[in-house]
Amino acid sequence: MPGTDAREAVKTVTGSLEHFPYLPELPARGPGADMIGRTAGLLVELYARLEPSGWRVGDAPGRDTRRARSWLGEDLDALEEFTQGYTGALKVSAVGPWTLAASLERRGGEAMLGDAGACRYLAESLAEGLRAHLAEVRRRVPGARPVLQLDEPSLTAVLLGRVPTASGYRTHPAVDRGVAEGALRQVVEAVREAGGPAPEPGQEIPVVVHSCAPGVPFGLLRRAGAAGISFDLSLLTERDDEAVGEAVEAGTALFAGAVPAVEPYSRALSDPAGSVMGVRTLWRRLGLSPKLLARSVVVTPACGLAGASPAYARAALAHCVRAARSLVNDPE
């Protein structure tokens, strides 16, 4: 979300999305509130500090780690304040293991992505950190059913070998798809069981994986255990149809980014039904039953709203609700 006021952001989100609010991120506050720094603050026995080149792992928690944790604490305080008595789904977000590996530097300055052992350790640390974070969310909002979103905008680049090295002259080798799937599955399974070693039905924590990049690997994410896949609808092509259809038939939810994340030049938010025309077109192309739409699709902004004005962010969230309602009322 835009701005630096946690209470205002949470108030906007909970007021606009009464059935599916989320814990906002406010990167405008500075380092430690950005997506990489925020998630680095969750890691267990792995710490990061900010260098001119980006976030780099260190031996002990320093000022940057303390600042990231302090801001997250403020956000949780605000969430607790505005969700008194709330029961229902509540989304929280963190960066996934592969985008984190592509963004965090080792001590020598190269990304952790270049060290297979470091990647495994990072996934383990992230899984433990997320379990603790979700337990804290449940403690503060006892009636909530947490849903975790893992942000993986760099996953496609990792799989295709397109992540540059520190020099910028080369790229890191592509990560084997089986290895990538295994690390994601490790995190998904750890999170799913965050309600306990043997959670009762309905107590498991579902994981949604988000990528606003082209070429989202729908099949890989589904096999890794993702309960939902979040994507920019405008980047979807007919090449993705088979994988998307298989995901829907397997019960995977689609978080369709149908609403622009920044204020458009046109009056794109004046027609809720028009905003989800792409979803209807996709459904017809796949030959899926319109009755599946209400159960399978969540309408979202195309990506985060941090680059929007506060007024547009509020309007976009409200528009998502109206657009989703139009799909329910008129799935054809």
Side-chain angles (χ1 to χ4, degrees), residues 87-111:
T87 57
L90 172 66
K91 185 166 73 71
V92 296
S93 301
V95 177
W98 292 109
T99 296
L100 207 56
S103 304
L104 278 180
E105 299 175 356
R106 290 172 282 164
R107 290 174 179 82
E110 287 291 353

Side-chain angles (χ1 to χ4, degrees), residues 31-276:
D34 61 295
M35 59 185 286
I36 301 300
R38 184 181 177 94
T39 301
L42 296 174
L43 298 175
V44 173
E45 296 183 358
L46 191 62
Y47 311 103
R49 66 179 186 272
L50 191 62
E51 298 287 344
S53 56
W55 288 94
R56 183 174 299 180
V57 296
D59 297 318
R63 177 185 60 187
D64 297 319
T65 298
R66 290 191 295 270
R67 181 169 51 200
R69 292 175 176 175
S70 174
W71 272 328
L72 180 57
E74 288 182 16
D75 297 340
L76 289 170
D77 288 343
L79 182 71
E80 185 176 3
E81 177 184 352
F82 286 99
T83 54
Q84 293 294 311
Y86 175 73
T87 57
L90 172 66
K91 185 166 73 71
V92 296
S93 301
V95 177
W98 292 109
T99 296
L100 207 56
S103 304
L104 278 180
E105 299 175 356
R106 290 172 282 164
R107 290 174 179 82
E110 287 291 353
M112 296 186 78
L113 184 63
D115 184 327
C119 289
R120 287 192 295 271
Y121 184 66
L122 180 61
E124 294 170 2
S125 175
L126 177 62
E128 287 304 307
L130 289 173
R131 286 170 65 98
H133 179 46
L134 289 163
E136 177 67 5
V137 170
R138 278 185 151 167
R139 184 186 71 79
R140 287 173 176 263
V141 193
R145 300 192 307 274
V147 175
L148 175 70
Q149 176 174 302
L150 288 177
D151 291 315
E152 282 284 18
S154 298
L155 177 58
T156 301
V158 166
L159 295 172
L160 296 177
R162 294 176 179 172
V163 177
T165 59
S167 68
Y169 293 115
R170 297 183 297 110
T171 58
H172 290 280
V175 171
D176 180 82
R177 297 179 75 89
V179 172
E181 181 182 321
L184 283 164
R185 185 183 301 110
Q186 176 186 358
V187 176
V188 168
E189 290 178 352
V191 167
R192 185 184 294 148
E193 298 170 358
E200 298 178 2
Q203 293 299 308
E204 302 93 342
I205 296 178
V207 176
V208 176
V209 181
H210 167 73
S211 174
C212 52
V216 176
F218 285 90
L220 184 153
L221 296 177
R222 175 175 57 81
R223 291 190 299 271
I229 301 173
S230 173
F231 56 95
D232 183 341
L233 183 63
S234 69
L235 298 179
L236 212 61
T237 70
E238 293 189 16
R239 291 193 301 272
D240 301 305
D241 281 3
E242 182 177 353
V244 173
E246 289 175 354
V248 174
E249 290 175 348
T252 306
L254 300 183
F255 284 58
V259 177
V262 293
E263 194 160 2
Y265 293 106
S266 65
R267 296 175 57 84
L269 296 190
S270 62
D271 180 13
S275 293
V276 288

